[in-house]
């Protein structure tokens, strides 16, 4: 199926008992059995739920994968993934990544013996110099959060395969519409489905998709054993959001392009980070591995101060100052004090995340209204 058809139809089917075209919300904690072990495929809702089953199938199809595993949040998905490893195992991660992932790795899992290296992956060849016999996973985001750097997934997959390591890609910023890491050689794809897949800022959800049955079976076991599962209402909302992903992403991309060029021309803006610029260092790779450049943009002010950034952040009227991204409405945020506050300042600055950096999640409103809002906020 083509993407527009796949997001609406693949992995789901009308309810067999009623013919309902939309998957019902099976709001139940348990399922009646004819006798011990004699059931219709469902026993207890932490383990399985029909609404969640449909969603997991749909998410797998969206990423051209075989197995989808859903969780209560993106961080719950990442946390479960890290449970595949044991003390002494090493994970190499990009140094430009979501602050919550950094916090989970450094503050939660490192004390239990996992080892993490955070490096610049703009040149994938740089990864090879950090590979050791203990390296078990390479973790990357592309585009990265919040500096919109591009990492070559195919090149990373080749490096991971040679090292006998797993390649996992956080595909949240791109969404399954713009990028499919499994097709490029990745072993695992993770989404904070709260964002573009949900698309309406009304649900928190995370998922992992893979083609590897062994990995999937271990993750299904951990999903049940550790219990960080979504409720059926959340799964219903994700199924609904997935059906309009393609049309929303098309508008996010159109608006993103207009806003990126507008900001680049503005006299108070210093640098604009958006991978659709032809002079972006990762433009050629982005064009090759993505189907569009997305609506995520970050920019730096010429007045590189926290006060200048706060003035802009508190002056917008359409861009809402809030955590998160990927909804139909435009959001504006300050990574240094919001999404990436858990990263020490000296490390953040060294990686290029300056005090005045502002991140935009460009929504699907009229682009002229969005430009006017940013113009009055920048002054």
């Amino acid at each position: 199926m083509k993407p527009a058809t796949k997001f609406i139809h693949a992995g789901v089917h009308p309810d067999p008992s009623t013919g309902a075209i939309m998957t019902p919300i099976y709001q139940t904690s348990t399922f009646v059995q004819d006798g011990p072990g004699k059931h219709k495929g469902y026993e207890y809702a932490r383990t399985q739920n029909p609404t969640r089953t449909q969603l997991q199938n749909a998410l797998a199809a969206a990423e051209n994968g075989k197995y989808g595993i859903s969780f209560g949040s993106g961080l719950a998905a990442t946390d479960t993934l890290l449970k595949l490893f044991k003390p002494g195992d090493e994970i190499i991660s990009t140094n430009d990544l979501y602050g919550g992932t950094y916090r989970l790795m450094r503050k939660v899992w490192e004390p239990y013996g996992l080892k993490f290296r955070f490096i610049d992956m703009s040149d994938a060849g740089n990864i090879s110099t950090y590979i050791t016999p203990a390296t078990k996973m390479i973790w990357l985001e592309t585009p990265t959060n919040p500096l919109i750097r591009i990492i070559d997934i195919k090149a990373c997959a080749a490096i991971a395969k040679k090292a006998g390591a797993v390649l996992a890609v956080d595909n949240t910023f791109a969404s399954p519409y713009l990028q499919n890491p499994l097709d490029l050689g990745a072993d695992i794809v993770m989404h904070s489905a709260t964002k573009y897949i949900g698309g309406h800022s009304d649900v928190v959800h995370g998922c992992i998709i893979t083609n590897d049955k062994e990995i999937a079976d271990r993750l299904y076991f951990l999903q049940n054993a550790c219990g960080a599962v979504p409720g059926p209402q959340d799964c219903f909302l994700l199924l609904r959001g997935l059906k309009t992903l393609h049309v929303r992403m098309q508008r996010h991309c159109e608006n993103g392009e207009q806003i990126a060029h507008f900001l680049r021309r503005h006299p108070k803006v210093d640098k604009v980070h958006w991978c659709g610029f032809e002079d972006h260092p990762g433009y050629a790779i982005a064009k090759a591995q993505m189907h569009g450049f997305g609506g995520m943009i970050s920019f730096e002010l010429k007045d590189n101060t926290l006060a200048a950034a706060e003035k802009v952040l508190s002056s917008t009227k359409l861009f809402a100052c809030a955590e998160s991204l990927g909804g139909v409405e435009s959001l504006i945020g300050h990574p240094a004090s919001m999404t990436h506050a858990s990263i020490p300042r000296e490390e953040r600055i060294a990686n290029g995340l300056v005090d005045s950096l502002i991140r935009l999640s460009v929504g699907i409103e009229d682009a002229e209204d969005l430009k006017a809002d940013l113009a009055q906020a920048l002054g």
Side-chain angles (χ1 to χ4, degrees):
M1 296 182 188
K2 301 292 185 183
T5 308
K6 179 173 63 176
F7 295 143
I8 294 172
H9 294 286
V12 298
H13 52 75
D15 179 54
S17 60
T18 65
I21 194 165
M22 295 301 294
T23 303
I25 303 169
Y26 284 89
Q27 195 70 52
T28 183
S29 62
T30 194
F31 301 84
V32 175
Q33 303 182 38
D34 294 333
K38 298 177 181 179
H39 52 77
K40 298 176 176 65
Y42 295 92
E43 302 166 83
Y44 187 60
R46 186 192 68 249
T47 309
Q48 299 153 317
N49 178 283
T51 315
R52 191 169 87 217
T53 298
Q54 289 271 63
L55 174 62
Q56 291 180 154
N57 292 340
L59 290 169
E63 278 288 9
N64 300 327
K66 294 179 181 177
Y67 310 102
I69 307 100
S70 287
F71 299 90
S73 69
L75 279 172
T78 306
D79 180 66
T80 305
L81 179 59
L82 291 173
K83 289 170 182 166
L84 297 178
F85 305 100
K86 62 183 185 300
D89 287 348
E90 186 174 270
I91 289 109
I92 298 175
S93 170
T94 178
N95 62 358
D96 181 26
L97 78 166
Y98 169 49
T101 305
Y102 176 92
R103 180 180 60 222
L104 178 65
M105 291 176 172
R106 277 277 197 238
K107 301 293 180 67
V108 177
W109 281 104
E110 203 166 63
Y112 284 103
L114 294 188
K115 298 179 180 179
F116 299 94
R117 291 175 183 261
F118 297 90
I119 67 169
D120 182 0
M121 293 185 178
S122 299
D123 176 2
N126 187 40
I127 299 170
S128 296
T129 62
Y130 293 90
I131 297 283
T132 75
T135 302
K136 301 302 180 185
M137 182 170 75
I138 298 171
W139 173 272
L140 60 90
E141 298 176 4
T142 182
T144 62
N145 181 4
L147 293 171
I148 321 298
R149 292 171 177 153
I150 299 298
I151 299 171
D152 188 332
I153 298 173
K154 275 188 178 179
C156 291
I159 292 166
K161 185 175 182 181
K162 185 178 179 181
V166 170
L167 177 65
V169 180
D170 181 341
N171 201 31
T172 300
F173 264 31
S175 85
Y177 179 75
L178 295 183
Q179 186 170 264
N180 302 113
L182 296 179
D183 293 347
L184 299 169
D187 300 289
I188 293 168
V189 177
M190 193 285 293
H191 285 276
S192 173
T194 306
K195 314 305 194 293
Y196 282 114
I197 294 176
H200 293 79
S201 303
D202 55 7
V203 62
V204 175
H205 191 97
C207 63
I208 295 172
I209 300 102
T210 183
N211 282 318
D212 189 307
K213 187 176 188 303
E214 183 180 351
I215 291 174
D217 286 344
R218 291 169 69 192
L219 289 171
Y220 285 128
F221 168 80
L222 290 167
Q223 180 194 48
N224 179 53
C226 300
V229 296
Q233 173 75 22
D234 294 345
C235 294
F236 173 85
L237 291 171
L238 264 294
L239 281 164
R240 186 181 66 171
L242 193 60
K243 289 180 183 293
T244 60
L245 178 64
H246 59 294
V247 290
R248 289 186 285 106
M249 291 308 301
Q250 288 164 10
R251 179 57 67 88
H252 284 300
C253 289
E254 293 167 4
N255 283 358
E257 181 175 8
Q258 291 200 50
I259 297 302
H261 285 281
F262 163 79
L263 288 170
R264 209 175 215 197
R265 294 190 296 266
H266 198 282
K268 291 189 178 180
V269 174
D270 186 14
K271 296 178 183 177
V272 181
H273 304 280
W274 180 66
C275 60
F277 291 131
E278 292 188 10
D279 59 356
H280 185 286
Y283 174 78
I285 296 170
K287 190 173 182 182
Q289 68 186 20
M290 298 175 69
H291 310 300
F293 301 111
M296 293 305 301
I297 299 167
S298 61
F299 64 98
E300 302 167 26
L301 301 173
K302 288 182 178 176
D303 182 359
N304 182 28
T305 63
L306 180 59
E310 287 179 342
K311 184 177 183 298
V312 175
L313 288 153
S314 61
S315 298
T316 56
K317 294 177 171 54
L318 286 178
F319 280 86
C321 182
E323 303 266 358
S324 200
L325 60 104
V328 292
E329 62 289 304
S330 293
L331 301 180
I332 186 169
H334 184 240
S337 62
M338 296 170 73
T339 54
H340 292 67
S342 59
I343 300 175
R345 185 175 187 273
E346 61 276 9
E347 192 170 336
R348 173 171 55 77
I349 296 295
N351 292 338
L353 205 168
V354 299
D355 286 338
S356 73
L357 187 80
I358 294 170
R359 192 188 77 178
L360 301 179
S361 173
V362 180
I364 65 172
E365 304 95 335
D366 189 285
E368 294 303 315
D369 290 331
L370 296 177
K371 286 189 279 188
D373 188 34
L374 289 172
Q376 64 83 26
L378 286 162

